[in-house]
Amino acid sequence: MASTADVLRAFLEHPDRPEGTLTFDQLRGFFFAVVNAPELVMPSDWIPAIFGDGRQTFADVEQADTIYRALKDEYNAVNEFSRMVVQTEDGALPPDTALLDDPMANLADDAPIHAWCQGFREGHRWLIESWNAFLAEDDEDEPSETAEMSKELGALLMVLC
């Protein structure tokens, strides 16, 4: 029996998906951006964003239920991974997103880490207004903690993207 992750991967990477649909590895990066956003993002908001144009058709109600459950399971897995990384302070790569031995191979379109970074970038872009509101500059002359976080986030985004 296939895992929910396998079912979701097959669905998202099927050639009949709408243009702009995230691949499974991109989905994981996208979810990482969503779970670490400054505000809670509801599934009713992020589910349409996964399918590019926001429209997705299913063969039947059973398939829709299976895919929605798999999406929520994957979201929860990424959320748990994110909390684990914060608690250890060691940093870690997401599951199944290990770096390839050849550093240049990690830049290939089909490299898991490359796809994860693409998804993270898309998630951050999708949530840019939320981040901009959260990181809005204070009117004080001294650099604020928020300004420092903004610089750190910018550096991290540059590396990931």
Side-chain angles (χ1 to χ4, degrees):
M1 184 170 176
S3 71
T4 57
D6 291 337
V7 168
L8 190 54
R9 181 184 296 274
F11 181 81
L12 291 173
E13 297 179 6
H14 192 276
D16 292 340
R17 293 292 71 76
E19 187 175 333
T21 298
L22 299 176
T23 66
F24 184 73
D25 291 321
Q26 289 171 337
L27 174 73
R28 286 179 162 178
F30 178 85
F31 277 161
F32 193 79
V34 170
V35 302
N36 289 288
E39 299 175 338
L40 177 64
V41 183
M42 301 302 292
S44 58
D45 293 325
W46 54 252
I47 287 174
I50 293 166
F51 299 108
D53 64 4
R55 291 176 290 169
Q56 177 55 49
T57 57
F58 299 96
D60 51 37
V61 173
E62 183 179 331
Q63 183 188 42
D65 184 55
T66 299
I67 297 305
Y68 287 140
R69 286 179 191 271
L71 284 168
K72 290 176 184 176
D73 287 349
E74 193 58 36
Y75 173 89
N76 289 335
V78 171
N79 192 26
E80 184 60 34
F81 168 78
S82 181
R83 285 196 306 234
M84 181 272 307
V85 169
V86 169
Q87 290 173 356
T88 63
E89 296 183 18
D90 291 336
L93 289 173
D96 301 326
T97 312
L99 293 172
L100 302 174
D101 290 335
D102 175 9
M104 295 306 291
N106 292 299
L107 302 176
D109 287 341
D110 62 344
I113 193 69
H114 179 82
W116 186 93
C117 290
Q118 286 178 320
F120 179 83
R121 181 189 65 220
E122 290 307 310
H124 181 74
R125 285 181 182 164
W126 183 66
L127 295 165
I128 194 71
E129 289 178 17
S130 178
W131 277 107
N132 287 344
F134 180 74
L135 297 172
E137 283 292 323
D138 294 337
D139 290 335
E140 301 172 14
D141 291 332
E142 291 184 30
S144 67
E145 184 177 321
T146 303
E148 196 60 36
M149 283 183 8
S150 181
K151 286 180 187 177
E152 288 179 22
L153 180 61
L156 289 170
L157 287 170
M158 187 174 65
V159 169
L160 286 173
C161 298

mmCIF file of all heavy atoms in Angstrom, residues 3-4 17 29-30 33 77 95 101 103 117 119:
data_model
loop_
_atom_site.group_PDB
_atom_site.id
_atom_site.type_symbol
_atom_site.label_atom_id
_atom_site.label_comp_id
_atom_site.label_asym_id
_atom_site.label_seq_id
_atom_site.Cartn_x
_atom_site.Cartn_y
_atom_site.Cartn_z
ATOM 1 N N SER A 3 2.150 5.040 0.638
ATOM 2 C CA SER A 3 2.006 6.029 1.708
ATOM 3 C C SER A 3 1.256 7.243 1.168
ATOM 4 O O SER A 3 1.149 7.431 -0.048
ATOM 5 C CB SER A 3 3.380 6.443 2.226
ATOM 6 O OG SER A 3 4.051 7.225 1.259
ATOM 7 N N THR A 4 0.763 8.074 2.091
ATOM 8 C CA THR A 4 0.075 9.286 1.642
ATOM 9 C C THR A 4 1.039 10.192 0.881
ATOM 10 O O THR A 4 0.634 10.873 -0.059
ATOM 11 C CB THR A 4 -0.569 10.060 2.805
ATOM 12 O OG1 THR A 4 0.432 10.383 3.762
ATOM 13 C CG2 THR A 4 -1.682 9.263 3.453
ATOM 14 N N ARG A 17 -1.726 17.640 -14.423
ATOM 15 C CA ARG A 17 -1.950 18.716 -13.444
ATOM 16 C C ARG A 17 -1.906 20.059 -14.162
ATOM 17 O O ARG A 17 -1.189 20.244 -15.148
ATOM 18 C CB ARG A 17 -0.875 18.718 -12.344
ATOM 19 C CG ARG A 17 -0.899 17.520 -11.412
ATOM 20 C CD ARG A 17 -2.102 17.425 -10.483
ATOM 21 N NE ARG A 17 -3.384 17.108 -11.031
ATOM 22 C CZ ARG A 17 -3.806 15.904 -11.430
ATOM 23 N NH1 ARG A 17 -3.016 14.872 -11.365
ATOM 24 N NH2 ARG A 17 -5.010 15.730 -11.910
ATOM 25 N N GLY A 29 8.807 22.685 0.373
ATOM 26 C CA GLY A 29 9.407 23.999 0.582
ATOM 27 C C GLY A 29 8.348 25.068 0.775
ATOM 28 O O GLY A 29 8.480 25.955 1.626
ATOM 29 N N PHE A 30 7.284 24.991 -0.022
ATOM 30 C CA PHE A 30 6.163 25.922 0.106
ATOM 31 C C PHE A 30 5.564 25.829 1.506
ATOM 32 O O PHE A 30 5.339 26.844 2.167
ATOM 33 C CB PHE A 30 5.116 25.595 -0.968
ATOM 34 C CG PHE A 30 3.891 26.446 -0.919
ATOM 35 C CD1 PHE A 30 3.864 27.686 -1.542
ATOM 36 C CD2 PHE A 30 2.748 26.013 -0.261
ATOM 37 C CE1 PHE A 30 2.723 28.480 -1.510
ATOM 38 C CE2 PHE A 30 1.602 26.790 -0.219
ATOM 39 C CZ PHE A 30 1.591 28.028 -0.848
ATOM 40 N N ALA A 33 7.621 27.538 4.140
ATOM 41 C CA ALA A 33 7.381 28.987 4.160
ATOM 42 C C ALA A 33 6.056 29.300 4.855
ATOM 43 O O ALA A 33 5.975 30.250 5.640
ATOM 44 C CB ALA A 33 7.381 29.541 2.730
ATOM 45 N N ALA A 77 3.420 17.252 8.773
ATOM 46 C CA ALA A 77 4.785 16.710 8.833
ATOM 47 C C ALA A 77 5.817 17.828 8.712
ATOM 48 O O ALA A 77 6.812 17.847 9.442
ATOM 49 C CB ALA A 77 4.981 15.665 7.738
ATOM 50 N N PRO A 95 13.309 16.185 5.487
ATOM 51 C CA PRO A 95 13.380 14.765 5.127
ATOM 52 C C PRO A 95 13.362 14.576 3.611
ATOM 53 O O PRO A 95 12.669 15.295 2.897
ATOM 54 C CB PRO A 95 12.107 14.182 5.754
ATOM 55 C CG PRO A 95 11.682 15.171 6.775
ATOM 56 C CD PRO A 95 12.186 16.503 6.341
ATOM 57 N N ASP A 101 25.893 14.411 -3.606
ATOM 58 C CA ASP A 101 27.346 14.418 -3.424
ATOM 59 C C ASP A 101 28.035 15.450 -4.311
ATOM 60 O O ASP A 101 28.953 16.134 -3.877
ATOM 61 C CB ASP A 101 27.932 13.022 -3.697
ATOM 62 C CG ASP A 101 27.546 12.019 -2.625
ATOM 63 O OD1 ASP A 101 27.268 12.432 -1.477
ATOM 64 O OD2 ASP A 101 27.527 10.814 -2.940
ATOM 65 N N PRO A 103 28.166 18.873 -5.672
ATOM 66 C CA PRO A 103 27.514 20.153 -5.340
ATOM 67 C C PRO A 103 26.769 20.781 -6.517
ATOM 68 O O PRO A 103 25.693 21.349 -6.335
ATOM 69 C CB PRO A 103 28.673 21.046 -4.892
ATOM 70 C CG PRO A 103 29.737 20.103 -4.467
ATOM 71 C CD PRO A 103 29.579 18.885 -5.334
ATOM 72 N N CYS A 117 13.789 24.497 -2.489
ATOM 73 C CA CYS A 117 14.071 25.937 -2.445
ATOM 74 C C CYS A 117 13.116 26.722 -3.348
ATOM 75 O O CYS A 117 12.683 27.818 -2.992
ATOM 76 C CB CYS A 117 15.526 26.211 -2.833
ATOM 77 S SG CYS A 117 16.722 25.652 -1.602
ATOM 78 N N GLY A 119 10.048 25.907 -4.028
ATOM 79 C CA GLY A 119 8.781 25.948 -3.312
ATOM 80 C C GLY A 119 8.813 26.935 -2.165
ATOM 81 O O GLY A 119 7.842 27.668 -1.933
#
